[in-house]
Each structure stands twice: as structure tokens, then as C-alpha cells.
Amino acid sequence: MICDPDIVIRVENLKTRFGDHIIHQDLNLEVHRGEILGVVGGSGSGKSVLMNTILGLIAPSHGTIEIFQKKIGSRFDRTEINHRIGVMFQNGALFSSLSVQENVEAPLIEHTRLREPWLEAVALMKIGLVGLDAEVGRQMPAELSGGMRKRVSVARALALDPELLFLDEPTSGLDPIAAAEFDQLIRTLSDTLGLTVVMVTHDLDSLYSISDRVAVVADQKIVEVSPIAELERSDHPWIRAFLGGRAERAKERNR
Ligand SMILES: Nc1ncnc2c1ncn2[C@@H]1O[C@H](COP(=O)(O)OP(=O)(O)O)[C@@H](O)[C@H]1O
Ligand SMILES: [Mg+2]
């Protein structure tokens, strides 16, 4: 196997199952350093399971997963690797009884020896990084708009300075304007911090505006990985249905 430092995640021949229910079979995927990779697929196709398997929360029944050029085995100590990965889970909620600042401090308290005044300094820096005012740190999650709560979730995911960020349907529930602003935040963070981003989404606007490539989960595997403009030329029935009119127009142009 070639050790390429620009491949941040390499999944080979992955099989996952729950009892008799096979979710993935012969699934292969490479994620490149610094890219924003969109992950799309039908509801229940296994996008969240794939993310959770890469994160080590679900054990694969076959195949290999490499992250940062390290092969992840079942008895592998993930602590060091998990510190380099930030995650925003699907419907990932903030701790409702903690202030915004305390939410962002939580991973720092759990995983570092940082204490005051540095905890506050780091938390406020992350809150600023996601485009929120320092005063928001004192507010409770319930006082914030949906878009602000998503930003706080990103600030918390960035607390430990990860190199790799997973987002599972981050713009779901946001209005189109808040979703577009969120997308631009992710693009800016990726560009300025060199973050690699894996973003599960159904949001075509997000895919067109910020993804470098899009991986399609269908038929228990990744059936295509390419820039969204190339996906428009795909003959795969799910991709054609997903992209709908845009794909039809692309075909007309190319005839
Ligand atoms: N812990 C689990 N136990 C059993 N089945 C599961 C579990 N997690 C997910 N599944 C099943 O795996 C399939 C893929 O789920 P998921 O990855 O959540 O889909 P999505 O692509 O919508 O994110 C679904 O059929 C779901 O019911
Ligand atoms: Mg999901």
C-alpha cells in the first residue's frame, strides 16, 4: 500500500452489517488533504454509519481503514487520532444546561490539562473563529438562532484544533440564507486552517457552492467520487434522480 501523506482517510473493501442487514459491501473511499468532500446518498443508505465507522464507533466486519496513514485496528488506541478529528454529529445537540462558552470548553476540560484563564481564552478564540461575538459565550443555547447554534457546534468541534472535520447534515433545519452563511464559514475554515472536511449533506446548494468533490453512497458502496459538475454526467439512476433537472440540462449541453 502506498503511503501518501495527501490521503487523510483511506477506506478499502469495507463491509459493515447489523446482523443480517448488510449496510456496506466492498466500499472504497479516499479523502484528500485540505478538500471539502460532500457525501450524499438516499435516506438509510449508510452515510452516518460510514462516518461512525471511520470514527471507530462502529466496528467493520471486513476491510481496512487508514486515517493519517495509520491503519486502525479493533484494538488500536484511538485517543491520539480522535484528538485530531472534530465531529458535528447528525442532530448533534449542545449541552442545554451549559452556556455557549462552557459548551466549547467541555472537550478542553475532558481531553487537555488546560485550566483558567486559558480555557476561557481558547473558547473565546474558537467562538470568534466561527463568526460569533465574545458576548455570545455567556448566552445559553436556547437563546440562540438555529444558525448560531450550528456555529457553536462547529466551535466545539474545533476546540482541540483538529485537522479533519466531520459534519453530518449540518445545514438541515436552517433557512437557505443561514445555510449559505454556514457553508461559507466551512469554506473559510477549510481554506484558512487547511482543514479537511467530510460533510454528509442533502443540500444541493452546499454541494455546488463549497464541495471540491462529492462521494455518492448507493448500492452499499461509493458508486462515484467526483466534482459535482462531473456527477451531472453520471448515468447512475440515483444520481440522476438526485440532481434532477440539472443533470438533464448538462446532458443536453453535451449532446
Ligand atoms: N446501530 C444500528 N443498529 C442497527 N441498524 C442500524 C444502526 N445504525 C444504523 N442502522 C441501519 O443502517 C442503515 C443506514 O443508516 P444510516 O447510516 O443512519 O443512514 P443515512 O444514510 O440516512 O445516514 C439504516 O437502514 C439503519 O436503520
Ligand atoms: Mg444519517
Side-chain angles (χ1 to χ4, degrees):
M1 195 177 287
I2 305 156
C3 187
D4 181 344
D6 287 330
I7 306 281
V8 176
I9 302 171
R10 177 182 271 138
V11 177
E12 283 190 325
N13 303 321
L14 179 72
K15 180 173 185 180
T16 51
R17 60 193 300 169
F18 295 104
D20 292 339
H21 187 185
I22 294 172
I23 312 296
H24 304 124
Q25 185 121 265
D26 296 323
L27 184 149
N28 295 286
L29 177 67
E30 286 181 352
V31 181
H32 302 162
R33 184 172 299 281
E35 77 172 333
I36 297 180
L37 179 74
V39 178
V40 299
S43 186
S45 60
K47 304 179 298 294
S48 295
V49 169
L50 176 61
M51 185 180 116
N52 289 331
T53 306
I54 294 171
L55 288 168
L57 303 172
I58 295 171
S61 47
H62 185 80
T64 56
I65 297 174
E66 274 180 38
I67 306 178
F68 306 127
Q69 291 82 52
K70 289 200 189 72
K71 195 176 277 185
I72 311 300
S74 55
R75 287 186 303 177
F76 184 86
D77 178 8
R78 296 207 46 130
T79 313
E80 189 238 317
I81 282 203
N82 283 353
H83 282 189
R84 297 169 69 187
I85 305 177
V87 188
M88 189 173 155
F89 287 102
Q90 188 165 9
N91 310 317
L94 298 167
F95 302 116
S96 59
S97 61
L98 300 184
S99 70
V100 164
Q101 184 181 323
E102 288 165 336
N103 265 280
V104 180
E105 287 175 354
L108 296 165
I109 292 172
E110 192 176 345
H111 298 292
T112 73
R113 293 188 191 168
L114 221 53
R115 292 295 172 256
E116 295 301 358
W118 305 112
L119 275 179
E120 171 164 319
V122 174
L124 291 180
M125 196 271 266
K126 303 296 171 179
I127 289 167
L129 199 59
V130 299
L132 297 174
D133 291 334
E135 295 83 73
V136 175
R138 287 193 292 278
Q139 290 186 267
M140 301 304 282
E143 299 175 78
L144 307 179
S145 70
M148 289 167 88
R149 276 200 289 273
K150 302 273 185 181
R151 284 173 191 262
V152 176
S153 295
V154 174
R156 187 172 64 181
L158 295 178
L160 299 173
D161 294 324
E163 295 157 60
L164 174 59
L165 179 64
F166 283 93
L167 306 168
D168 197 350
E169 305 204 11
T171 58
S172 72
L174 295 184
D175 66 68
I177 295 170
E181 287 170 356
F182 184 90
D183 287 340
Q184 287 318 311
L185 168 69
I186 298 305
R187 181 80 257 173
T188 304
L189 290 173
S190 175
D191 290 346
T192 54
L193 304 176
L195 267 180
T196 306
V197 179
V198 178
M199 177 174 68
V200 175
T201 186
H202 292 291
D203 191 330
L204 273 176
D205 290 333
S206 299
L207 295 169
Y208 277 94
S209 61
I210 64 163
S211 71
D212 295 303
R213 296 191 306 152
V214 178
V216 182
V217 184
D219 314 327
Q220 302 173 325
K221 47 180 74 65
I222 303 284
V223 291
E224 287 230 27
V225 192
S226 52
I228 187 90
E230 278 176 40
L231 275 195
E232 291 177 346
R233 293 195 284 272
S234 171
D235 284 325
H236 191 281
W238 187 86
I239 298 173
R240 296 194 54 172
F242 178 64
L243 295 178
R246 298 207 200 213
E248 290 309 315
R249 286 193 293 280
K251 284 218 185 311
E252 286 297 325
R253 276 200 303 277
N254 294 327
R255 237 191 273 282

